[in-house]
Structures are given as structure tokens and as C-alpha cells.
Amino acid sequence: MAKRKVNIKDVAVRADVHPSTVSRVLNPETRSMVSASVAERVRHIANEMGYARSSLAYGLRTGRTQTIGVVIPDLTNPLFPPIIRQIERKLAEQGYIAILADSDNNHENEKAIVQLLLSRNVDGLILATAHRLDSVVITCVDENIPLVLVNRTIDAHSVTAVINDDAHGIELAASHLAGLGHESIAYIGGPQDTSTGHDRFLAFKHLMNTGRFKSHSHVIRNCKAFTEAEGRRGFLALLKKDRKFTAVIAANDLLALGCYDALSELGLRCPNDISVTGFNDMPFVDRLSPPLTSVRIPHDEIGNQAVELLLEKIRNPQSPIRTVNILPELIVRGSTAPPA
């Protein structure tokens, strides 16, 4: 004979509280209505008894599925796993589960994935795939789908986003190199149809125009993608045009890895011949040889903010559009040194 499932009334009897109290405790959205001591006791008893809330019943009652679609552009990019992990943890605390999808940096894939997620009635979306002009994002906004962008945003700024202060990050890297004595600094940027690629490029150009270091437009190279292969190609192209620069700022860590590859091919050493900085401080860049100086973005904070803002949108669709700009910091390691 199948064992009967434990229900809310069973938990209430054991905890000596009203079933409505148990219901409030087991719902993350109403848990704060119950004192912390009672909530902890009820949760402990529910876990001990093996109580499991019926997602189907909850969905029929509330019209929600407790699922969130999370779409990233490239799962092989080490930037994203720490952010996704924190998103999943934060969602789990609130009784939600993430459905993860990889668009492979393809806009048509992104469009198809979002349509599929919406057909499965996800309660909201967290997208790290946005382009500056993104029809998928605009459609979601027009249809009032709860949505938060992470790491990137769109030009219209018509959707809530959690992004990094890219201009500040580039300034940190440039100031560090200038402080070491570098006067000619090159730049390898990312795709200009993304806010991260465009904003970091504009920040570098602005710094270049201030005259704080000697640099010219022909030592700037914007790549088609944020990949190691593109970083290598971009760096080799720069060297063909101008070998006078003594340092290079890469717009992300994968591009910086491509610079390492090119330097090795040419028999040059980092930082003895050319210093290199990255951006994002993705996992394991401290294990490189030499360890990479990089602009660190707070992965956990990005994940936390994204979940908080999305759940706010789900609970209150009229909540205002917000852009949370998170300050990065520079982590100095062995890839930068004074020019020879």
C-alpha cells in the first residue's frame, strides 16, 4: 500500500499551530508574517515529516509555476557559472527553480529559447544575452513579461538591469597601467552590438582623449566576439600596425587569454615585453602564468540583485524600471609591471 503524503494539517497538528500558519511559513512570500522562532520550528517539523508542497496545486491556486528562465550567451565562458550558481541559490531560498538555457551567442537561438520558456509558463526571465538593439527584449517589455537583464543592457534602458560600471572598470585598469609608467596603451575590445563591448570601448576612448597616456585610434581593435580566439587575432593585428605600445587593456578575460596566446607565439613575454589586463576576474585567472591582473566584478552581488529585482517585478508588475550599476575593483597580479 502506498504511503499517504504528509499534508499541511499533519504538520500543523505536530507543530500545534493553525494550518494557515503552516501555509504562511512554507510560502517564502508570506513567511515574514510569522515570527522567526515559530517559522523555524514549523519548517523543521515539516522537513522532519517529509512534507513536500504540491507545485501543481500551488500553481493552480496562484497562477504561477515557481520557475524562472535564465538565458546566457555562452556556458563555456567562466564568467557565467558563478553568477548562475548565486541566482539558483537565491531563487531556491524563495521557493523557485531556474531553467537554464545557452543561446550560443546566436540571436535566433535566443528568440527560440525565450519563446519556448514562455510557452512553459515561466514566471519571469533573467537574460544575459541582450544586445544593444534587441527585439526579443523589446517584445518581452511590450508584453509585460517580468524580466531582468544581467551584465548587459539595451540602448533604450526600458527594462530593469543589473550591470557593472564598465567605465569605472576601464579607468581602474588604465590608471593602474599609467601609474606603472606606461605611456602607450593599446585596447582590445568586444563586439560593439553589446553594451559591455560598446561602453568599455567608449570609456577607453574618453580616457585616451584626455591625454593621460599616449595612444591613438590605430592601437584600438574591437573584436567580433568575447573569445580567446578573437583576442589572439586582435592582438596580432595590433602588433602588425604598431609595436610601440607597452601594455594592452582587454575588454574581458577571454580576450586577455588570446593576448597571452599571441605573445607566446611571437616569443614575447608578459609582463616583461607587454603588460596585459583583463576584465571580469573570471575563475582561475589567478592560476595563469603569469596570473592575470583583472577588473573584478562581484558575481554573487549580480546574482542576488537580479533575483531580488525579478521577484519584485513578479509580485508587483507596476514596480519602476531600475538599473543597478555595481562598482568593480581592480585585482593586481603578475601580468602587469613597469615598462622595460
Side-chain angles (χ1 to χ4, degrees):
M1 182 185 295
K3 187 177 178 181
R4 185 178 71 84
K5 282 187 175 183
V6 175
N7 59 38
I8 282 179
K9 289 183 180 178
D10 297 326
V11 177
V13 170
R14 176 80 69 86
D16 193 22
V17 296
H18 195 275
S20 64
T21 301
V22 177
S23 180
R24 290 189 186 98
V25 170
L26 299 180
N27 183 350
E29 295 183 18
T30 58
R31 189 174 297 151
S32 61
M33 298 169 64
V34 181
S35 70
S37 60
V38 172
E40 180 58 32
R41 182 162 59 86
V42 169
R43 291 177 69 187
H44 176 75
I45 291 172
N47 289 335
E48 193 176 66
M49 296 180 69
Y51 172 80
R53 185 173 69 175
S54 169
S55 297
L56 176 59
Y58 181 81
L60 291 172
R61 191 166 63 251
T62 64
R64 297 180 188 167
T65 62
Q66 298 295 103
T67 57
I68 301 296
V70 181
V71 188
I72 60 172
D74 181 7
L75 189 56
T76 65
N77 185 336
L79 164 67
F80 293 109
I83 297 175
I84 294 165
R85 180 181 59 188
Q86 192 60 26
I87 287 173
E88 288 181 324
R89 286 176 177 171
K90 192 74 174 177
L91 285 173
E93 290 175 7
Q94 300 298 319
Y96 285 79
I97 189 170
I99 300 176
L100 178 65
D102 181 349
S103 73
D104 197 25
N105 281 303
N106 184 292
H107 184 68
E108 289 304 312
N109 287 352
E110 176 196 7
K111 185 177 179 180
I113 288 168
V114 168
Q115 287 177 341
L116 181 59
L117 289 170
L118 294 177
S119 73
R120 298 196 175 194
N121 296 318
V122 295
D123 294 332
L125 295 168
I126 296 176
L127 303 183
T129 51
H131 291 75
R132 292 171 57 206
L133 302 173
D134 197 311
S135 60
V136 173
V137 173
I138 295 300
T139 297
C140 289
V141 171
D142 290 344
E143 295 183 5
N144 296 315
I145 295 164
L147 170 67
V148 171
L149 306 181
V150 295
N151 196 52
R152 301 178 182 177
T153 189
I154 61 174
D155 283 356
H157 295 286
S158 57
V159 60
T160 292
V162 182
I163 57 175
N164 306 290
D165 191 328
D166 291 316
H168 182 64
I170 294 298
E171 184 173 6
L172 288 174
S175 296
H176 168 65
L177 292 172
L180 291 173
H182 293 278
E183 294 186 339
S184 184
I185 304 173
Y187 179 78
I188 295 195
Q192 294 303 291
D193 63 345
T194 65
S195 63
T196 45
H198 188 60
D199 292 349
R200 293 171 192 179
F201 164 63
L202 291 181
F204 181 81
K205 278 187 66 177
H206 171 74
L207 291 170
M208 180 183 68
N209 292 335
T210 64
R212 288 170 59 180
F213 47 84
K214 299 175 182 177
S215 195
H216 308 283
S217 60
H218 63 280
V219 289
I220 293 176
R221 179 82 176 189
N222 285 316
C223 300
K224 296 178 180 178
F226 281 117
T227 63
E228 184 175 350
E230 276 293 292
R232 172 188 168 275
R233 280 193 287 270
F235 190 86
L236 292 173
L238 284 180
L239 285 177
K240 285 182 180 179
K241 291 187 174 182
D242 190 332
R243 177 59 185 84
K244 294 178 182 177
F245 61 88
T246 58
V248 60
I249 294 174
N252 88 337
D253 293 336
L254 291 177
L255 295 175
L257 284 180
C259 296
Y260 274 34
D261 295 340
L263 285 166
S264 179
E265 285 180 31
L266 298 171
L268 299 173
R269 294 173 300 166
C270 171
N272 304 62
D273 295 301
I274 296 178
S275 288
V276 178
T277 70
F279 202 117
N280 290 335
D281 196 39
M282 67 186 190
F284 306 117
V285 295
D286 58 331
R287 308 286 182 87
L288 300 175
S289 182
L292 179 65
T293 293
S294 184
V295 176
R296 173 178 290 172
I297 64 173
H299 305 102
D300 285 359
E301 183 65 13
I302 291 172
N304 286 336
Q305 290 280 354
V307 171
E308 287 181 11
L309 291 170
L310 182 61
L311 295 185
E312 180 184 328
K313 275 287 181 188
I314 291 171
R315 293 163 185 164
N316 178 18
Q318 304 307 314
S319 61
I321 294 168
R322 294 173 57 192
T323 298
V324 176
N325 220 330
I326 300 178
L327 280 178
E329 61 177 321
L330 184 70
I331 305 301
V332 178
R333 301 191 181 98
S335 67
T336 52

